[in-house]
Amino acid sequence: KGHTNNIGLVLVQPHQQVFRDPFIPNVITGLSAVIRSFGYRLLVEHIDDLDHLITISNLLKGGEVAGIVLSTFEGLEEILAPLIDDGYPMVMLDESPASSCSVLLDHWAGVRIAAEHIASLERYPVACICFGPANPYVDKRLRRFCDTIEQRTGRVVEQRYIRYGQFEPESGYVAMKSL
């Protein structure tokens, strides 16, 4: 809809996650390779403060980008729904409303495969360090991990062996030492 050869990749994530998440560079390089073959360039916009979500609307309505690939839909319905209804091109990574396009990631398969491998090692107790508490995505993945371990081994992952970290190695180290 914009009159430019830029496609925007909007990362709505904490600063630490953007620069330490191994998934992000793969998205950037893969997306760049594909859109470049069609004569487009990638513009990356990082939003780590929800007060700056208007940036998404400004990029599209201002014609700075021809379309947007968005790292998340969670919590952005209020700003995105009118843009989708107005026909602005958007692709959501992982989740989206029925009226928009998305690329779905199979987090469940990854969690299941990791949990099955750990269960096959037959070493107990099983511990888990995951990203911060009170994150709906993390909570679902952790539940799936624990359920898979219990299904495969008959053993419960005890709460005392679950720790939370952030997107920096130091927090994982501290969590590991606390186990």
Side-chain angles (χ1 to χ4, degrees):
K1 203 163 183 163
H3 303 287
T4 178
N5 65 336
N6 292 327
I7 300 293
L9 172 61
V10 179
L11 304 170
V12 183
Q13 296 158 305
H15 170 78
Q16 299 88 347
Q17 182 178 357
V18 168
F19 295 104
R20 295 206 169 119
D21 187 338
F23 176 67
I24 301 295
N26 292 328
V27 169
I28 290 172
T29 56
L31 189 56
S32 293
V34 170
I35 67 172
R36 195 176 312 119
S37 70
F38 290 95
Y40 287 90
R41 294 180 19 222
L42 185 64
L43 177 127
V44 178
E45 182 72 32
H46 174 228
I47 299 175
D48 65 351
D49 183 340
L50 296 182
D51 291 335
H52 296 121
L53 289 176
I54 193 68
T55 301
I56 298 167
S57 180
N58 292 343
L59 287 169
L60 287 165
K61 290 183 176 181
E64 294 179 57
V65 294
I68 283 184
V69 176
L70 200 61
S71 66
T72 185
F73 182 75
E74 184 76 26
L76 307 179
E77 295 89 348
E78 188 177 315
I79 193 147
L80 297 181
L83 295 169
I84 293 168
D85 292 343
D86 288 344
Y88 286 99
M90 284 188 265
V91 174
M92 310 300 162
L93 296 180
D94 214 15
E95 290 192 26
S96 70
S99 59
S100 72
C101 298
S102 65
V103 175
L104 296 177
L105 310 171
D106 195 347
H107 297 289
W108 300 122
V111 169
R112 180 184 48 77
I113 289 166
E116 287 174 348
H117 172 72
I118 291 169
S120 75
L121 298 175
E122 297 183 357
R123 296 193 180 142
Y124 308 102
V126 171
C128 183
I129 301 172
C130 50
F131 178 68
N135 178 310
Y137 296 116
V138 172
D139 294 342
K140 289 177 190 175
R141 290 181 203 151
L142 177 60
R143 183 77 264 138
R144 174 66 57 99
F145 175 81
C146 293
D147 289 348
T148 302
I149 293 290
E150 186 173 359
Q151 290 167 0
R152 298 286 190 244
T153 68
R155 295 174 183 249
V156 174
V157 177
E158 298 176 44
Q159 188 65 38
R160 65 186 173 135
Y161 295 116
I162 296 173
R163 298 291 187 277
Y164 297 93
Q166 299 301 316
F167 281 99
E168 58 266 341
E170 298 80 24
S171 72
Y173 178 74
V174 169
M176 180 193 63
K177 286 193 67 147
S178 73
L179 289 168

